Amino acid sequence: ITEQFEKFGASIIRVVPKGLRGPPTETAILTKKDVETVKKVKGLDYVAELLLQNEKVEYNNKENLVLIQSLPPELAKEAFRDLNLEIGEGRNLEKGDSDVAVVGATIGEDMFGKEIRVKNSIKIVEKKFRIIGTLKEAGTLGTDQIIFIPIETAREIFDKPESISIIAAKVQEGLDVRTVSDKVEDELKRARDDENFEVTTPEQ
């Protein structure tokens, strides 16, 4: 069981807006200021801001709504490793990347009736993205039918210059995840002066 959980990032803390199921309120969104607050907490290897959005994707003359996940490209290598995502063909996102994407293993066949390969192009919100990498099949829809793009490009095409869906923070090896998680929660409460967020650990 521990091994299974480790595959999903057993040392990764996630910060999300409170009550994700309801309509988001202005105070219940995460911003870049929250990211800076989390970065100040001791005991973290890295802090990644993620922006998730269901958007229209075009490929093979077909359109589909797909979950687009964006993150800072310079953190993609570490984040993918910690989430047990492996590149099958091509390469991962890297610093300086903009209009490129990494796609899940089965998204092409499952959603567009044709495999998406490295060097193919897809359109997201009318913008063309070149495929630089494909993931190895993981056997879960959440991974096999997802598209990863650089976060600054996502901010531009989704018109979300400040919003953040999730802050993911990796706890340094040897430290207690719960203790560091509590510190993150305390710092955010102090900086935001509200409790419109939730900090979750894999243990929970």
Side-chain angles (χ1 to χ4, degrees), residues 5-63:
F5 273 107
E6 276 168 0
K7 284 183 182 178
F8 292 99
S11 55
I12 293 178
I13 295 168
R14 290 171 180 81
V15 184
V16 296
K18 199 160 204 167
L20 271 180
R21 290 184 191 89
T25 62
E26 277 310 301
T27 50
I29 59 168
L30 301 173
T31 67
K32 288 183 178 181
K33 190 182 168 199
D34 296 320
V35 176
E36 294 311 310
T37 301
V38 176
K39 279 181 179 174
K40 287 175 189 164
V41 175
K42 286 193 173 79
L44 296 171
D45 265 341
Y46 63 78
V47 178
E49 55 195 91
L50 311 176
L51 180 60
L52 278 65
Q53 182 111 341
N54 272 309
E55 274 300 342
K56 186 179 76 177
V57 174
E58 287 179 54
Y59 178 69
N60 194 31
N61 296 318
K62 291 183 181 175
E63 277 184 8

Side-chain angles (χ1 to χ4, degrees), residues 50-58 64-71 93 100-104 107 111-112 122-125 127 129 131 142 145-151 153-155 157-158 160 165-166:
L50 311 176
L51 180 60
L52 278 65
Q53 182 111 341
N54 272 309
E55 274 300 342
K56 186 179 76 177
V57 174
E58 287 179 54
N64 246 314
L65 270 182
V66 179
L67 178 63
I68 312 293
Q69 185 157 317
S70 61
L71 73 167
L93 298 171
V100 295
V102 171
V103 298
I107 185 171
M111 301 186 89
F112 302 97
I122 58 172
K123 261 190 189 174
I124 305 172
V125 199
K127 189 176 184 70
F129 284 78
I131 305 304
Q145 295 191 0
I146 201 165
I147 296 173
F148 288 93
I149 64 173
I151 193 161
T153 310
R155 290 193 185 291
I157 62 173
F158 303 150
K160 291 194 169 178
S165 308
I166 301 169

Side-chain angles (χ1 to χ4, degrees), residues 55-201:
E55 274 300 342
K56 186 179 76 177
V57 174
E58 287 179 54
Y59 178 69
N60 194 31
N61 296 318
K62 291 183 181 175
E63 277 184 8
N64 246 314
L65 270 182
V66 179
L67 178 63
I68 312 293
Q69 185 157 317
S70 61
L71 73 167
E74 64 274 15
L75 292 177
K77 193 177 176 183
E78 285 178 282
F80 277 37
R81 185 192 63 220
D82 291 332
L83 294 170
N84 207 41
L85 301 173
E86 285 184 72
I87 298 288
E89 285 183 20
R91 67 168 177 87
N92 206 333
L93 298 171
E94 292 171 3
K95 190 175 182 176
D97 280 342
S98 55
D99 304 348
V100 295
V102 171
V103 298
T106 65
I107 185 171
E109 293 279 6
D110 292 350
M111 301 186 89
F112 302 97
K114 184 184 176 186
E115 190 182 357
I116 299 176
R117 301 187 70 97
V118 173
K119 293 184 181 172
N120 286 162
S121 289
I122 58 172
K123 261 190 189 174
I124 305 172
V125 199
E126 301 304 317
K127 189 176 184 70
K128 197 186 248 188
F129 284 78
R130 183 170 54 86
I131 305 304
I132 54 165
T134 59
L135 293 169
K136 284 185 181 175
E137 195 164 340
T140 57
L141 290 181
T143 319
D144 290 338
Q145 295 191 0
I146 201 165
I147 296 173
F148 288 93
I149 64 173
I151 193 161
E152 291 309 322
T153 310
R155 290 193 185 291
E156 190 187 304
I157 62 173
F158 303 150
D159 194 23
K160 291 194 169 178
E162 285 289 324
S163 291
I164 291 164
S165 308
I166 301 169
I167 300 169
K170 166 87 180 286
V171 177
Q172 287 172 5
E173 206 173 322
L175 296 183
D176 182 61
V177 176
R178 184 80 249 174
T179 305
V180 180
S181 168
D182 288 344
K183 275 193 215 163
V184 168
E185 196 165 334
D186 290 343
E187 287 300 321
L188 281 169
K189 275 181 194 170
R190 194 175 298 127
R192 291 172 60 103
D193 200 25
D194 68 41
E195 293 183 28
N196 290 321
F197 63 90
E198 285 176 48
V199 182
T200 61
T201 64

